[in-house]
Amino acid sequence: MRYKITFSYDGSKFDGYQKQKHVLNTVQGIMENALKYINNDKITKISSSGRTDKGVSAFMQVGHADIDVNITPYKLKRALNSLIPDSIHVIDVEEVSNEFHARYMAKEKTYIYKVNIGEYNPIEKDYVCQLCKPLDINILKSEIKDFIGEHDFSSFCSNQDKKEDCRRIIYDASVKKTGNYIVFSFTGNGFLKYMVRIMCGYLISVALDKVEPGKIPYYLKNTEKKVTTKTAVATGLYLKEVKY
Amino acid sequence: MRYKITFSYDGSKFDGYQKQKHVLNTVQGIMENALKYINNDKITKISSSGRTDKGVSAFMQVGHADIDVNITPYKLKRALNSLIPDSIHVIDVEEVSNEFHARYMAKEKTYIYKVNIGEYNPIEKDYVCQLCKPLDINILKSEIKDFIGEHDFSSFCSNQDKKEDCRRIIYDASVKKTGNYIVFSFTGNGFLKYMVRIMCGYLISVALDKVEPGKIPYYLKNTEKKVTTKTAVATGLYLKEVKY
């Protein structure tokens, strides 16, 4: 039986999402250990909507796993939560058909990026990017909308594989300011490696007057020109939602 | 010269505020080590507005220290921030007269207590009380106002010393709900040991229907009767402000 597993995790507590040889403390590795235990010691893979970088958290990540033993979704949720550490939490488990695929069938993903532009705050240092410099929200608002639409995002990602198709659709890109906090939000059909962090880093550089505004359309057309602005740090980035 | 030092810290990263023998990782201990280094290796005490329990954070704590070496407030702030770990942050340093006392001259303190009444959230487990049970905001609102005023809070504290004067004035006590979060706020001229956590634990017990509502005035009069409800956990409690 295939199960759709919706879970959240604190990325600051792990060495990234993706399972790696010789790295024990990954979200995927820990989830798969728990699944193996439940699935009569059979190696059991969890396929998620996509990996997240080291330091990135997920309010909502979705994966699927095939389990041979007869177990209700409710009991699978409880069993997983009793086996995994408290930095990961299974929110929901559903039985799905064998055609369901957490990665290929994801229609829409939303990432948010939180930045503190006020005084350094030690309480949230692992959860919010501590930029601690003022940013002009109007510049950010006017720039960010240029990302909306279907574009080749080669300039705004870290693609080693030159043949990878870098076309993605950004359905919505917005930014809001609440007190000393700036929150960027991007909803799209998919995101490339470091893409959200590179876009946020670029926007921050424009607002800090390090880069000329109005150049995003240029980079979206001239896909051989990588932007050279600083990639925003992982701390502050959250996978907020995955829709199917 | 006496300096008023305003600082913040992440209580989840320390073994409490107060310096203790054989416990190295306390906020006070770390601050005093840094002060000693700046003050030509002379043992230098920081007197704060009050200790906070293990696990309790401060958005704003205030202390004072006497330093013999000639240093501007700006340089003292920078020197302290370069010496302390990133889980503590000095927000401001001011020169004050020798009559200033961070504890005795504090006029008003505000504590807030954050509770998640929705699904368990691993990302905030060290920062918000994960109650994960629904609470009726109207019951909380109607109960909490009975704490306002000058009362003997013996029933709502953990006083070992029976002779301690437990009269305190609560200027304001309120509670609000935003989504699945409940935030309690208490402003008073001072708080006794575990007082805020005992009051919050009591209010939560009433909202969970474990205790009859309307009994706070009874406990504030019958000071020999300790409330027997669960003390709320330290996680979620923040010293928000100290006024002079």
Side-chain angles (χ1 to χ4, degrees):
Chain A
M1 176 63 71
R2 183 160 288 186
Y3 294 88
K4 178 185 173 196
I5 301 168
T6 304
F7 56 111
S8 54
Y9 51 84
D10 177 351
S12 76
K13 301 289 194 290
F14 300 96
D15 297 321
Y17 176 82
Q18 199 180 21
K19 197 175 168 176
Q20 298 168 66
K21 260 188 190 170
H22 312 304
V23 181
L24 293 177
N25 190 33
T26 63
V27 177
Q28 186 187 0
I30 287 167
M31 288 295 281
E32 291 187 357
N33 277 347
L35 287 165
K36 183 180 173 220
Y37 184 87
I38 293 163
N39 200 13
N40 262 339
D41 217 36
K42 183 179 167 185
I43 290 173
T44 306
K45 198 176 150 51
I46 185 162
S47 300
S48 77
S49 74
R51 67 192 75 157
T52 51
D53 303 336
K54 186 172 172 173
V56 178
S57 294
F59 290 122
M60 179 190 172
Q61 172 66 283
V62 176
H64 74 261
D66 294 323
I67 294 176
D68 301 335
V69 298
N70 198 10
I71 187 167
T72 65
Y74 176 76
K75 284 200 172 163
L76 180 55
K77 175 185 168 174
R78 290 202 34 167
L80 282 169
N81 279 328
S82 73
L83 291 165
I84 58 183
D86 59 2
S87 305
I88 313 179
H89 176 66
V90 173
I91 300 166
D92 191 48
V93 173
E94 281 173 70
E95 282 183 12
V96 284
S97 79
N98 284 340
E99 279 104 66
F100 178 82
H101 195 288
R103 184 165 171 205
Y104 303 131
M105 288 170 75
K107 282 203 182 120
E108 204 181 289
K109 275 179 169 184
T110 299
Y111 277 96
I112 62 165
Y113 191 71
K114 298 185 187 181
V115 182
N116 174 15
I117 59 170
E119 184 83 22
Y120 171 78
N121 185 340
I123 300 165
E124 58 185 31
K125 72 175 169 52
D126 296 328
Y127 301 95
V128 178
C129 165
Q130 299 295 313
L131 186 74
C132 304
K133 288 172 189 167
L135 293 182
D136 185 334
I137 183 73
N138 295 318
I139 292 177
L140 296 173
K141 278 188 176 168
S142 115
E143 287 288 298
I144 199 171
K145 57 180 171 36
D146 286 339
F147 284 123
I148 299 173
E150 185 171 351
H151 306 286
D152 182 321
F153 285 91
S154 296
S155 302
F156 294 95
C157 73
S158 158
N159 60 329
Q160 258 78 49
D161 177 6
K162 296 283 176 208
K163 286 179 203 144
E164 190 184 2
D165 177 13
C166 292
R167 290 197 81 77
R168 294 291 185 277
I169 307 169
I170 301 279
Y171 302 117
D172 194 35
S174 64
V175 57
K176 64 175 185 182
K177 185 171 181 272
T178 312
N180 278 326
Y181 295 91
I182 298 275
V183 180
F184 297 95
S185 175
F186 296 91
T187 301
N189 67 342
F191 293 89
L192 298 152
K193 194 173 181 192
Y194 296 151
M195 180 172 151
V196 180
R197 289 168 55 191
I198 291 172
M199 292 192 296
C200 288
Y202 183 85
L203 292 167
I204 289 168
S205 291
V206 177
L208 290 176
D209 211 12
K210 291 183 176 173
V211 178
E212 212 186 320
K215 301 276 280 182
I216 294 171
Y218 169 85
Y219 284 109
L220 292 174
K221 270 183 207 120
N222 296 274
T223 53
E224 75 291 355
K225 308 261 189 208
K226 293 262 175 206
V227 298
T228 54
T229 48
K230 234 177 168 173
T231 300
V233 297
T235 299
L237 184 59
Y238 295 83
L239 175 56
K240 191 186 168 195
E241 206 180 358
V242 188
K243 280 191 184 165
Y244 289 90
Chain B
M1 176 63 70
R2 183 160 289 187
Y3 294 88
K4 178 186 174 195
I5 301 167
T6 304
F7 56 112
S8 54
Y9 50 85
D10 176 350
S12 75
K13 301 289 194 290
F14 300 96
D15 297 322
Y17 176 83
Q18 199 180 20
K19 198 173 164 175
Q20 297 168 66
K21 259 188 190 168
H22 312 304
V23 181
L24 294 177
N25 190 34
T26 64
V27 178
Q28 187 188 359
I30 287 166
M31 288 295 281
E32 292 187 356
N33 277 348
L35 287 165
K36 183 179 173 222
Y37 184 88
I38 293 163
N39 200 14
N40 263 338
D41 218 36
K42 183 178 166 184
I43 290 172
T44 306
K45 198 175 148 54
I46 184 161
S47 300
S48 78
S49 74
R51 68 191 75 156
T52 50
D53 303 336
K54 186 173 173 173
V56 177
S57 294
F59 290 122
M60 179 190 173
Q61 171 66 283
V62 177
H64 74 261
D66 295 324
I67 294 177
D68 301 337
V69 297
N70 198 9
I71 187 166
T72 65
Y74 176 75
K75 284 200 173 165
L76 180 55
K77 175 185 167 175
R78 289 201 36 166
L80 283 168
N81 279 328
S82 73
L83 291 165
I84 58 183
D86 60 1
S87 305
I88 313 180
H89 177 67
V90 174
I91 299 166
D92 191 47
V93 173
E94 282 174 69
E95 281 183 12
V96 285
S97 80
N98 284 338
E99 277 104 66
F100 179 83
H101 195 288
R103 182 164 172 206
Y104 301 133
M105 287 170 76
K107 282 202 181 121
E108 206 180 287
K109 275 180 168 183
T110 298
Y111 276 96
I112 62 165
Y113 191 72
K114 298 184 188 182
V115 182
N116 173 16
I117 60 170
E119 185 82 22
Y120 171 77
N121 185 341
I123 299 165
E124 58 183 32
K125 72 176 170 50
D126 296 329
Y127 301 95
V128 177
C129 165
Q130 299 296 312
L131 187 75
C132 306
K133 288 173 189 167
L135 292 181
D136 185 333
I137 183 73
N138 295 318
I139 292 176
L140 295 173
K141 278 188 176 168
S142 115
E143 286 288 298
I144 199 171
K145 57 180 172 36
D146 286 339
F147 285 124
I148 298 173
E150 184 172 352
H151 307 287
D152 182 320
F153 285 92
S154 296
S155 301
F156 294 95
C157 73
S158 158
N159 60 330
Q160 258 76 50
D161 176 7
K162 296 284 177 208
K163 286 178 201 145
E164 189 184 5
D165 177 12
C166 294
R167 290 196 82 77
R168 293 292 183 278
I169 307 169
I170 300 279
Y171 302 117
D172 194 36
S174 64
V175 58
K176 65 176 181 182
K177 186 171 180 273
T178 313
N180 278 326
Y181 296 91
I182 298 274
V183 180
F184 298 95
S185 175
F186 297 91
T187 301
N189 66 344
F191 293 89
L192 298 152
K193 193 173 182 191
Y194 297 150
M195 181 172 151
V196 180
R197 289 168 53 191
I198 291 171
M199 292 192 295
C200 289
Y202 183 85
L203 292 167
I204 290 169
S205 292
V206 177
L208 290 175
D209 212 13
K210 290 183 176 173
V211 178
E212 212 186 321
K215 300 277 280 181
I216 293 171
Y218 168 85
Y219 283 110
L220 292 173
K221 269 182 207 122
N222 297 273
T223 54
E224 76 291 356
K225 308 261 188 207
K226 293 262 177 208
V227 297
T228 53
T229 47
K230 235 177 168 174
T231 301
V233 296
T235 299
L237 185 58
Y238 295 83
L239 177 55
K240 190 186 168 195
E241 205 180 358
V242 188
K243 281 191 182 164
Y244 289 90

